[in-house]
Amino acid sequence: LWRVHRAPTTRTTAMATNASKRCAVGQLQSTNDAEKNLQVVETLCQQARDAQCAVLFLPECFAYIGVVGTDALQVMEPLDGPLLRRYKALAVTYDLWLSLGGFAERGPDSGHRYNTHLIVSSTGKVQAQYRKIHLFDVDMGDVNGPVLMESAHCTAGDALATCASPIGKLGLAVCYDLRFPEMFQRLRHEFDCQVMLVPSAFTKPTGEAHWEVLLRARAIETQSYVIAAAQAGTHSAGRASHGHAMIVDPWGKVVARLDGVETGIAVADIDLTYLNEVRQRIPVGKHRRAIETFQAVQS
């Protein structure tokens, strides 16, 4: 299915103003066919341009999802490699900023890659890069099938990343980072980010239980927009993703979303005037105290 969803008119999706810019959150079902994935992304770029969006957000593993964990090592490349150059060219062709939510960047050795989130401007220039810090090493037993050990073939990053964009200041994350609220607190209160990005490939069991509530919690806690592009559907035997890409406003309201299987975009306006109103209404930035100032009393 190919769909373009437009959010209903609300306080946060009203007619664009000087403080409001339109963006699109994308959802796709990537596979180990890199050429087909690129073609799908180009279609999403066309849809985003036609919807007059300034930025298109793509999920983790947008360019490639292998059948086994080592597959991505065969396609990993540096950030000036041939595949990534083609994605940069899409940004130029369609006059869009792109959030490339998780790319197999060449790692420190032949057995490891980085899971790298890139922001590319409409001129094709990389504005920010973030290497995923929290790797998904999880054994959910019967709940989630086999043990998933991202660190077996991926090296963790060690630095936060932010950048200015047409829709506001972005704070970059990837998937499992969502479960670590202290990261988003730093992005908000130390770096003054306005839009938190969580491109993901959430598993179906964890997505059904936790995806939306965690996204809305991060939006409410940081009084920021949260944009969560998502992988959806079955990628190969034994691997499927939850989908439900969405945009959440600073009050915690979902203002744009897709379902669990479709490929397409959902569109909303990012209204920074509204964001500032929310932050002024409940000034947690002024009331917040550094955790180091608390005394620890044990009984």
Side-chain angles (χ1 to χ4, degrees), residues 130 133-134 158-162 169-172 177 180-196 218 221-222 224 279 288 290-292:
Y130 164 74
I133 291 174
H134 301 100
D158 59 5
L160 300 178
T162 71
K169 189 169 184 179
L170 308 177
L172 280 64
D177 289 328
F180 300 88
E182 64 274 14
M183 177 175 171
F184 296 87
Q185 290 293 312
R186 290 195 65 193
L187 290 171
R188 158 71 204 276
H189 296 289
E190 293 183 34
F191 299 98
D192 199 28
C193 292
Q194 299 159 308
V195 183
M196 307 297 178
R218 296 297 88 83
E221 291 164 352
T222 64
S224 303
R279 292 183 176 185
R288 181 175 179 268
I291 194 168
E292 293 81 7

Side-chain angles (χ1 to χ4, degrees), residues 17 36 69 146 148 170 243 247 277 297 299:
T17 67
K36 180 179 178 182
L148 297 173
L170 308 177
I247 300 173
E277 290 174 0
V297 180
S299 57

Side-chain angles (χ1 to χ4, degrees), residues 35-53:
E35 191 65 33
K36 180 179 178 182
N37 297 335
L38 181 67
Q39 293 170 2
V40 173
V41 169
E42 181 164 13
T43 299
L44 300 189
C45 288
Q46 293 170 341
Q47 294 176 347
R49 180 194 59 187
D50 292 347
Q52 299 182 317
C53 294

Side-chain angles (χ1 to χ4, degrees), residues 249-262:
D249 78 8
W251 196 247
K253 180 179 180 180
V254 178
V255 294
R257 71 162 78 225
L258 293 105
D259 68 17
V261 295
E262 61 192 325

Side-chain angles (χ1 to χ4, degrees), residues 1 14 20 33 36 44 67 122 157 181 214 240 245 258 261 267 281:
L1 290 174
S20 176
D33 186 337
K36 180 179 178 182
L44 300 189
V67 177
S122 56
L214 285 171
L258 293 105
V261 295
V267 175
R281 190 180 306 153

Side-chain angles (χ1 to χ4, degrees), residues 20 95 106 119 124 144 157 197 205 217 221 271:
S20 176
D95 193 26
R106 181 178 294 167
I119 303 298
N144 198 34
L197 308 183
E221 291 164 352
D271 188 338

Side-chain angles (χ1 to χ4, degrees), residues 16 22 178 180 286:
R22 182 159 296 167
L178 178 61
F180 300 88
K286 293 181 179 179

Side-chain angles (χ1 to χ4, degrees), residues 11 25-26 58 78 90 92 99 103 109 139 150 152 174-175 193 204 209 220 234 243 272 289:
R11 177 63 183 85
V25 63
L58 297 170
L90 290 179
V92 176
S99 163
F103 183 77
D109 56 64
D139 181 0
E150 187 174 14
V174 177
C175 200
C193 292
K204 281 184 171 289
I220 294 165
T234 300
L272 299 183
R289 291 172 55 192

